[in-house]
Amino acid sequence: MVNWKKTLIIIFNVIIGAYLLLAVTAFNKPVDKETVCRDVRISIDKGIVDGFLNAEGVRRMLIESGQNPIGRTMADVNLRAMEEQLEKHELIDNAECYRTQAGNVNIRITERVPVVRVMAHNGEDYYVDKDGHIMQNTGYACNLMVATGSIDRAFARRVLAPIGRIIIADDFWRNQIEQINVMPDSTVEMVPRVGAHIIYLGKPVNVTKKLERLRKFYQYGLSQAGWNKYQRISVEYDNQIVCKKK
């Protein structure tokens, strides 16, 4: 007696296997080396905040570096050289280039995203990304929290980058904190967008816990007392908040 259920399962598996084999074969078909590149398609992985790059800017980089593949045969397109050239740019963290059967070159860019702009007392003006890399201010526009005061580059990389990561990862703090000021003794204060007070963090340690304590005070304290009642709110010490009235 024929087991139709088992037979149908076998037939189904054979059909699926044949389809997958054809699909893999078609996908892995080598690109004709004589095919001429017709277009460059660029995608940019954005972070939480918008960075500086756009597709047109990446195309200009390729043209200026002599790596523009349009009009070249695929045999003459050096993908690795394109990647290396793009990754030299300070705004690009990673670049992946590959050819398509349609005669295009696709480029996927991972951008260096700044988390804070530094305008230090020593006259330096630059951005710092989430990994602590320094990005020169070359006229790009980016709406970011600004850090002022007694800041050198080591402090920016070691301290401001982690604080910036914490703030931009949280919708509330990203919209509330507009400025960080570093005092001569390396303690930190913050300027909020809402409220007429200064937030004093003290030493830049346990920042997440300090901000969480401040968030609760905002929620249960200032919402009752009023956002403009205090001129200074200190979360420097554990388990307490010290406020100074106007």
Side-chain angles (χ1 to χ4, degrees):
M1 184 176 180
V2 178
N3 187 331
W4 289 107
K5 183 177 180 180
K6 185 175 181 180
T7 301
L8 289 173
I9 291 174
I10 293 173
I11 293 172
F12 177 77
N13 287 336
V14 169
I15 293 173
I16 292 297
Y19 171 78
L20 291 175
L21 179 62
L22 289 172
V24 170
T25 302
F27 182 78
N28 289 326
K29 181 181 178 181
V31 178
D32 186 350
K33 291 184 178 180
E34 297 306 314
T35 299
V36 174
C37 178
R38 299 183 301 174
D39 192 15
V40 176
R41 298 182 179 178
I42 300 165
S43 63
I44 301 174
D45 292 342
K46 297 289 186 180
I48 298 172
V49 298
D50 287 335
F52 301 124
L53 279 179
N54 55 42
E56 191 57 38
V58 175
R59 288 191 178 91
R60 283 198 302 271
M61 291 178 199
L62 292 173
I63 293 171
E64 292 170 0
S65 65
Q67 293 293 336
N68 184 22
I70 294 179
R72 298 182 182 181
T73 63
M74 289 300 182
D76 293 329
V77 174
N78 188 331
L79 298 180
R80 185 58 197 153
M82 289 174 60
E83 292 172 347
E84 290 176 351
Q85 186 63 47
L86 290 171
E87 289 173 356
K88 289 179 182 178
H89 200 283
E90 66 173 2
L91 299 181
I92 295 177
D93 184 43
N94 184 62
E96 296 179 2
C97 305
Y98 58 95
R99 305 177 182 89
T100 70
Q101 292 289 332
N104 302 319
V105 170
N106 287 4
I107 301 175
R108 183 174 180 177
I109 298 290
T110 302
E111 186 176 11
R112 291 194 190 281
V113 178
V115 295
V116 62
R117 179 179 179 179
V118 175
M119 301 177 70
H121 282 177
N122 62 11
E124 288 196 297
D125 185 351
Y126 53 88
Y127 294 93
V128 182
D129 78 357
K130 63 182 181 62
D131 297 315
H133 294 109
I134 302 297
M135 303 165 64
Q136 297 302 319
N137 184 0
T138 54
Y140 297 102
C142 192
N143 184 23
L144 277 181
M145 174 180 65
V146 175
T148 57
S150 303
I151 305 169
D152 60 25
R153 296 196 172 204
F155 187 90
R157 287 189 290 262
R158 178 174 51 85
V159 177
L160 295 183
I163 292 177
R165 286 199 303 268
I166 292 169
I167 289 175
I168 69 166
D170 187 290
D171 288 340
F172 176 76
W173 294 121
R174 187 167 68 250
N175 291 300
Q176 172 66 346
I177 304 300
E178 64 178 357
Q179 182 179 344
I180 294 176
N181 188 50
V182 181
M183 311 301 285
D185 62 356
S186 296
T187 58
V188 174
E189 59 185 19
M190 295 180 170
V191 180
R193 285 191 173 90
V194 179
H197 54 272
I198 297 296
I199 302 161
Y200 184 67
L201 291 183
K203 293 293 183 182
V205 296
N206 300 320
V207 174
T208 299
K209 290 182 178 179
K210 291 177 179 179
L211 289 179
E212 194 56 36
R213 194 159 70 248
L214 180 60
R215 189 200 303 269
K216 292 178 180 177
F217 179 69
Y218 275 174
Q219 184 177 359
Y220 301 109
L222 287 191
S223 62
Q224 302 297 322
W227 285 80
N228 297 318
K229 182 175 182 178
Y230 302 107
Q231 68 177 15
R232 180 182 171 89
I233 300 174
S234 173
V235 291
E236 178 181 12
Y237 302 110
D238 290 343
N239 302 318
Q240 62 177 297
I241 294 177
V242 179
C243 301
K244 182 179 180 180
K245 291 184 179 180
K246 285 186 175 181

